[in-house]
Amino acid sequence: MSKENFLQSSLGRKLVMGITGLFLITFLIVHVGCNACIFANDGGVLFNQVADFMAHNFFIRVMEVVLFAGIFTHMIQALLLTLKNQKARPVKYAVTNGAANSKWYSRSMGVLGSLLLMFFVIHWAHFWVPTKVAVFTGQPENTFEHMKEIFSKEYVVTIYLLGIISLCYHLLHGFPSAFQTVGLNNKKYTPLLKKTGAIFSITVCLLFAAMPITVYLGIIK
Amino acid sequence: MSHGNMNLTLKVWKQKNKDAKGALETYQVKGISPDMSFLEMFDVLNEQLITEGKDPIAFDHDCREGICGMCSMFINGRPHGPVKGVTTCQLHMRSFKDGDTIVVEPWRSTAFPIVKDLAVDRSAFDRVIAAGGFVSVNTGNAKDANNILINKDDADDAFNAAACIGCGACVATCKNGSAMLFVSAKVSQLALLPQGQIEKEARVLSMVGQMDDEGFGACSVTGACEIECPKGISLENIARMNREFLGANIKSKH
Ligand code: SF4
Ligand code: FES
């Protein structure tokens, strides 16, 4: 009989994955909501007001630290769990038929997550770093104009769209799975939860995708 | 005993013992009846190998009616083959076509070392059960039936969880080699009933602990186990185990 440390057990680690995942999902709602201000199509007035608030508000600053901690924890746990899972099957099957019993993206969360991380690094270099520099040097920052410039290049728009597609599939599996992992699954609400997850993932990603596309096409001026 | 018309090519994993290096070997079987079970087809092949003076293929089986859970075979990339809700012994050759090539491998999991060929050692499951999959009672006279009233939904859920035969198909198919479907079924069948509730916290903690010690992986909710389980054990059990585990950790005094 062995009793282990909660955070070192496989179930404990999974719970941490689920809880940080749910937290990151709530962040996405805020992120997509703020960015959607560009669709006001008012030359970036509303968007820049929101961006300025986000860059200077104390509560948002604290949440920013929590957010990075959340992403980091989610990543580290994923890495540790992946290593454990690989040890659980060192000799692979000659033939597997995963398509017969599960969705490809549910089996590819590690790959999708790694693609997302690469995308985030580019995304942070594009927006987060310049905003920080502006705040610390006290220079005025026109985030809207800055964004228009970034989204004027085709390859950048392509990278963003690929990043958003990875996000969409990561969410399609992650959203309902997070609830399952924290222990919520029954016949009554799980079908509803799964539907909500699919609608949420697709809506959020379509909104995100619309941003570089409309800016690139000059619909948002 | 062969009196059919199916001819098949089999690629079967041969491995001398736990530490030896194994490989897929190719065999031809002829005159297989579509009404034979998959194991009977293996019997025909083994008879043929013995007559030829070759080493027969080692595989596990016992009841041959879907209740003992011994017949572990990973067939064409799926545990127990292509048919839903059956074990290998319940799989018939009519599920294949004449001329097919069928690849048969053992369960692959660190926690299930290969004994020989297709036979694996699943005593890791027994150790998980021994860690807490029981109810401690004083023996005495049998109690009156329905002495303790049990909610119908709970009784049904407990009964469904108790249908697990410990076959290990969930571990075999899981990309993470996770045993959570099995362990959660065993945790649930007891935690749902009043007799099992007294020890439920200690039980989930030590069974999960043992599961980790055995080297099983962690669930990533692909749902493959639920689809491949011959007894239809549901992912709801894993969610229940997660709740029980969290609750037990919060309440635990040591
Ligand atoms: S949960 Fe299903 S697949 Fe897993 S051991 Fe039990 S019966 Fe077999
Ligand atoms: S031999 Fe018993 S379940 Fe197949």
Side-chain angles (χ1 to χ4, degrees):
Chain A
M1 161 148 161
S2 73
K3 188 175 167 300
E4 8 157 46
N5 179 321
F6 174 69
L7 285 177
Q8 279 168 6
S9 74
S10 55
L11 259 63
R13 287 197 196 288
K14 292 303 305 182
L15 277 161
V16 172
M17 282 300 281
I19 292 164
T20 47
L22 288 173
F23 167 68
L24 297 174
I25 285 172
T26 56
F27 157 74
L28 279 180
I29 301 174
V30 178
H31 190 13
V32 81
C34 292
N35 288 21
C37 292
I38 65 165
F39 297 128
N41 213 355
D42 55 358
V45 178
L46 182 63
F47 177 74
N48 274 340
Q49 272 169 5
V50 173
D52 191 60
F53 171 79
M54 294 308 256
H56 294 94
N57 181 280
F58 177 71
F59 176 69
I60 301 293
R61 291 285 58 73
V62 174
M63 285 317 285
E64 188 173 36
V65 177
V66 179
L67 172 66
F68 276 99
I71 295 175
F72 184 72
T73 314
H74 197 72
M75 262 165 44
I76 293 294
Q77 293 297 345
L79 199 71
L80 292 170
L81 283 164
T82 305
L83 289 176
K84 180 183 168 64
N85 294 346
Q86 274 171 358
K87 263 200 251 154
R89 179 167 302 133
V91 182
K92 305 282 173 248
Y93 288 105
V95 179
T96 48
N97 185 357
N101 54 37
S102 51
K103 299 264 192 297
W104 71 266
Y105 50 87
S106 78
R107 285 175 274 123
S108 317
M109 290 299 271
V111 175
L112 290 168
S114 309
L115 287 174
L116 272 177
L117 179 65
M118 292 194 290
F119 167 67
F120 289 159
V121 171
I122 299 172
H123 183 48
W124 290 330
H126 276 157
F127 292 100
W128 186 75
V129 175
T131 317
K132 287 288 117 156
V133 170
V135 169
F136 283 112
T137 56
Q139 279 160 357
E141 160 82 349
N142 190 335
T143 312
F144 184 74
E145 287 307 319
H146 179 62
M147 175 193 71
K148 273 169 63 179
E149 195 189 308
I150 286 177
F151 289 159
S152 66
K153 298 181 199 79
E154 261 156 56
Y155 80 92
V156 174
V157 175
T158 313
I159 291 175
Y160 273 71
L161 291 182
L162 292 176
I164 292 161
I165 291 170
S166 310
L167 176 66
C168 188
Y169 281 110
H170 201 77
L171 282 175
L172 275 176
H173 180 66
F175 188 106
S177 302
F179 287 96
Q180 156 80 12
T181 299
V182 300
L184 301 173
N185 179 347
N186 84 15
K187 288 188 188 68
K188 196 166 125 203
Y189 51 69
T190 296
L192 187 73
L193 215 62
K194 284 197 173 152
K195 242 184 245 156
T196 314
I199 294 171
F200 174 85
S201 313
I202 295 168
T203 313
V204 165
C205 292
L206 282 179
L207 279 170
F208 272 134
M211 293 163 191
I213 294 177
T214 49
V215 172
Y216 176 76
L217 296 177
I219 298 169
I220 300 295
K221 295 191 194 71
Chain B
M1 82 184 257
S2 65
H3 38 63
N5 47 16
M6 291 176 81
N7 298 331
L8 302 157
T9 305
L10 294 174
K11 292 192 171 171
V12 183
W13 189 261
K14 286 290 286 175
Q15 181 170 333
K16 248 202 177 80
N17 57 49
K18 181 167 155 278
D19 305 308
K21 207 172 135 35
L24 284 174
E25 280 199 27
T26 308
Y27 302 92
Q28 306 293 336
V29 277
K30 293 194 171 54
I32 296 297
S33 155
D35 296 331
M36 280 180 187
S37 79
F38 202 81
L39 296 187
E40 284 164 345
M41 183 269 293
F42 260 80
D43 293 337
V44 171
L45 172 60
N46 271 348
E47 264 179 51
Q48 180 187 313
L49 290 174
I50 292 167
T51 322
E52 290 167 5
K54 291 188 188 141
D55 188 29
I57 298 157
F59 65 94
D60 267 328
H61 61 106
D62 188 14
C63 71
R64 296 208 176 196
E65 56 181 10
I67 49 176
C68 76
M70 286 303 284
C71 49
S72 49
M73 286 191 190
F74 204 78
I75 303 162
N76 283 346
R78 299 181 70 181
H80 302 137
V83 179
K84 205 171 147 46
V86 298
T87 49
T88 305
C89 56
Q90 296 171 300
L91 176 69
H92 290 91
M93 294 316 293
R94 54 179 167 270
S95 300
F96 299 89
K97 287 197 301 291
D98 181 35
D100 272 0
T101 298
I102 308 172
V103 180
V104 189
E105 295 175 77
W107 286 178
R108 296 205 185 277
S109 156
T110 305
F112 295 159
I114 291 176
V115 178
K116 185 172 194 282
D117 304 340
L118 300 173
V120 298
D121 176 358
R122 284 173 303 138
S123 44
F125 270 7
D126 300 336
R127 289 188 291 273
V128 171
I129 296 288
F134 50 80
V135 174
S136 312
V137 286
N138 291 322
T139 50
N141 287 340
K143 294 264 160 49
D144 284 345
N146 299 330
N147 209 2
I148 306 170
L149 295 180
I150 298 168
N151 175 316
K152 173 78 165 77
D153 284 342
D154 290 343
D156 285 350
D157 285 347
F159 189 82
N160 289 340
C164 165
I165 54 174
C167 66
C170 44
V171 176
T173 197
C174 174
K175 76 180 249 294
N176 309 317
S178 168
M180 287 201 189
L181 196 65
F182 165 79
V183 180
S184 70
K186 299 300 172 192
V187 164
S188 292
Q189 72 181 39
L190 298 173
L192 281 160
L193 300 178
Q195 295 89 337
Q197 269 155 14
I198 301 155
E199 293 164 293
K200 69 174 191 169
E201 278 111 24
R203 176 183 306 117
V204 70
L205 293 177
S206 68
M207 286 179 83
V208 169
Q210 189 63 38
M211 170 182 88
D212 283 343
D213 287 352
E214 297 290 347
F216 292 109
C219 175
S220 63
V221 205
T222 67
C225 55
E226 185 183 52
I227 303 288
E228 301 293 8
C229 171
K231 299 297 154 187
I233 304 295
S234 149
L235 281 187
E236 280 176 44
N237 292 297
I238 300 186
R240 183 179 299 106
M241 174 173 70
N242 292 351
R243 287 199 297 275
E244 296 278 337
F245 184 74
L246 186 61
N249 267 289
I250 291 170
K251 278 198 216 161
S252 155
K253 294 199 183 82
H254 20 251

